[in-house]
Amino acid sequence: DIQMTQSPSTLSASVGDRVTITCRASQSISSWLAWYQQKPGKAPKLLIYKASSLQSGVSSRFSGSGSGTEFTLTISSLQPDDFATYYCQQYNSYSTFGQGTKVEIK
Amino acid sequence: QVQLQESGPGLVKPSETLSLTCTVSDASISSYYWNWIRQPPGKGLEWIGYIYYSGSTNYNPSLKSRVTISVDTSKNQFSLKLSSVTAADTAVYYCARSPWGIVVDYWGQGTLVTVSS
């Protein structure tokens, strides 16, 4: 099984901050990584696929990078609507998700 | 805009089989990959498996022995069966669409299934 580890688990930030979330895979997954945003009581929303490809309709303040075992999701300027939980997902071998990173208001 | 809607019992007894159906609207099920993903209350996401409209399937190895996903193209629906459930299977179950296999671009709203006697 490929394990996905996100850090930090919780992140406190202010509107306008640049935010970076890290996701590490237990073995190489090439660029087969996606990022999702989830708000309470709602289904997740796809932000990024193939490590760095922005999903259609998603704000360009979201960006993804990385390959192999280390990946990052960056929010360039945090907006009020961005306070949520973020998950990475590997799909190199079956699929596993990270445990989530909650972005909360500082 | 693709819409997905889960339906099925919200309460299942231990050792029984959980059965859910996902109805797809405003899109044909005869393309794409159709997934089930679950989320225990307050916890993270777990991919269960997918079916291609042709009927080929791919399941999470940790659940494979208990999972069956099927598709009914005539009804534009796909279904999940999870056998021998325990309390650990209590979760919100989402049905979802993927253009390429597992990366999901459209989700249902989710349905809570509780396993309890």
Side-chain angles (χ1 to χ4, degrees), chain A residues 57-69:
Chain A
V58 173
S59 171
S60 57
R61 65 179 181 273
F62 292 95
S63 63
S65 65
S67 65
T69 62

Side-chain angles (χ1 to χ4, degrees), chain B residues 2-87:
Chain B
V2 180
Q3 295 186 61
L4 299 95
Q5 179 67 57
E6 305 88 353
S7 60
L11 181 64
V12 180
K13 289 182 168 55
S15 80
E16 295 189 346
T17 296
L18 178 160
S19 296
L20 295 173
T21 295
C22 183
T23 301
V24 180
S25 305
D26 299 323
S28 172
I29 205 167
S30 296
S31 60
Y32 299 106
Y33 295 79
W34 303 95
N35 288 256
W36 288 97
I37 294 166
R38 69 180 183 179
Q39 185 171 36
K43 297 187 178 180
L45 299 159
E46 181 178 32
W47 174 72
I48 299 171
Y50 71 64
I51 189 164
Y52 192 49
Y53 75 97
S54 63
S56 63
T57 55
N58 192 12
Y59 298 141
N60 186 325
S62 68
L63 298 169
K64 185 174 183 177
S65 64
R66 299 195 291 132
V67 172
T68 302
I69 298 176
S70 58
V71 65
D72 187 338
T73 55
S74 67
K75 295 182 178 179
N76 232 37
Q77 294 177 334
F78 63 107
S79 298
L80 168 70
K81 290 189 185 299
L82 181 65
S83 64
S84 305
V85 298
T86 69

